Amino acid sequence: MTDSRCPGKTSWPELVGGKGFAAASIIELENRHVRAIVLEDGTPVTKDYRCDRVWVWVNKDRIVVRTPVVG
């Protein structure tokens, strides 16, 4: 999936259920324009939209629980 505002791949639904830091590495390999940031689900974050950022939401066991997307 792509977002016309941002270059490269912008969504990684296939990573849900995987390990958070491994997912972050895959995201950065597949889109060199982003930095993947692993956060525990529910952590407060800024609401601004950025083409160079992907939140990787994980549970307490560090498993990805939401589709990582650019933003």
Side-chain angles (χ1 to χ4, degrees):
M1 174 177 247
T2 61
D3 180 328
S4 62
R5 296 173 287 185
C6 303
K9 187 172 180 179
T10 59
S11 178
W12 291 264
E14 69 277 11
L15 298 178
V16 174
K19 295 184 179 187
F21 289 104
S25 294
I26 291 167
I27 291 166
E28 290 177 356
L29 283 171
E30 291 187 356
N31 184 338
R32 64 183 179 87
H33 301 285
V34 301
R35 177 170 168 239
I37 303 164
V38 179
L39 295 168
E40 188 166 339
D41 196 31
T43 301
V45 295
T46 181
K47 298 295 183 189
D48 61 322
Y49 188 91
R50 293 181 47 178
C51 287
D52 64 345
R53 177 181 62 212
V54 177
W55 302 123
V56 181
W57 297 102
V58 298
N59 63 16
K60 63 181 172 61
D61 297 320
R62 302 292 185 222
I63 301 301
V64 179
V65 295
R66 294 193 223 172
T67 297
V69 294
V70 167

